[in-house]
Amino acid sequence: MDLVLQHLKLRLAHEQDALAADDADMLAVLADLGSRAAALAGQDSGAASPRWEELAELVGAARTAGDGQQDATARNEELRGVVVAVMRWLDEAEGAHPAVEEMRDEVYRLVRRQVDRTRPLVEPLFMSFRPVAS
């Protein structure tokens, strides 16, 4: 029970900052992907080429995610939904263009930063057999 209380204290103290940083990070990555997709849409027109317009449209959804919502968690979840949709698009376009792999790597780095950002908040819940620090 002490571990759960410690977890809740950490979340109460740091969750809003983590959500704000996470939102800013996702918006920056998605904006970059959108710019790159828009540029590639104008250049690439081969039959095997990915549909860059689709990616730009998916990423465009991030600009309006959470509009009118007061709840930071709901906004964050909507942005994460956009990231998931982008990941699915990248999976479907795999091998079609070198930029797809670069974009996928960028999204994976984003997810790694998200995990690193939230890890300290959930670490007290990890299984431990040592005494709880006072």
Side-chain angles (χ1 to χ4, degrees), residues 7-21:
H7 162 71
L8 292 174
K9 285 179 189 177
L10 281 171
R11 283 192 63 175
L12 184 61
H14 302 288
E15 187 171 38
Q16 291 303 314
D17 293 337
L19 285 174

Side-chain angles (χ1 to χ4, degrees), residues 3-128:
L3 295 176
V4 172
L5 290 174
Q6 184 181 359
H7 162 71
L8 292 174
K9 285 179 189 177
L10 281 171
R11 283 192 63 175
L12 184 61
H14 302 288
E15 187 171 38
Q16 291 303 314
D17 293 337
L19 285 174
D22 198 34
D23 287 356
D25 196 5
M26 284 188 284
L27 286 169
V29 168
L30 292 169
D32 178 60
L33 293 178
S35 297
R36 290 163 59 189
L40 287 165
Q43 298 172 6
D44 245 355
S45 60
S49 176
R51 295 193 36 153
W52 297 111
E53 304 83 19
E54 284 181 12
L55 179 59
E57 188 177 310
L58 282 174
V59 169
R63 287 191 291 272
T64 59
D67 280 357
Q69 289 190 17
Q70 301 298 322
D71 185 9
T73 302
R75 175 173 169 72
N76 186 269
E77 287 299 318
E78 280 193 48
L79 286 170
R80 286 175 183 248
V82 173
V83 170
V84 168
V86 166
M87 291 175 83
R88 287 184 177 141
W89 186 94
L90 291 167
D91 285 345
E92 290 174 11
E94 183 177 9
H97 193 280
V100 170
E101 296 307 314
E102 295 169 11
M103 291 176 175
R104 177 182 287 133
D105 289 345
E106 192 171 332
V107 172
Y108 284 161
R109 285 191 296 274
L110 166 67
V111 172
R112 178 76 248 171
R113 289 190 303 273
Q114 289 174 318
V115 169
D116 291 345
R117 215 177 344 264
T118 57
R119 180 183 170 102
L121 301 179
V122 297
E123 210 162 24
L125 299 177
F126 294 174
M127 181 63 82
S128 172

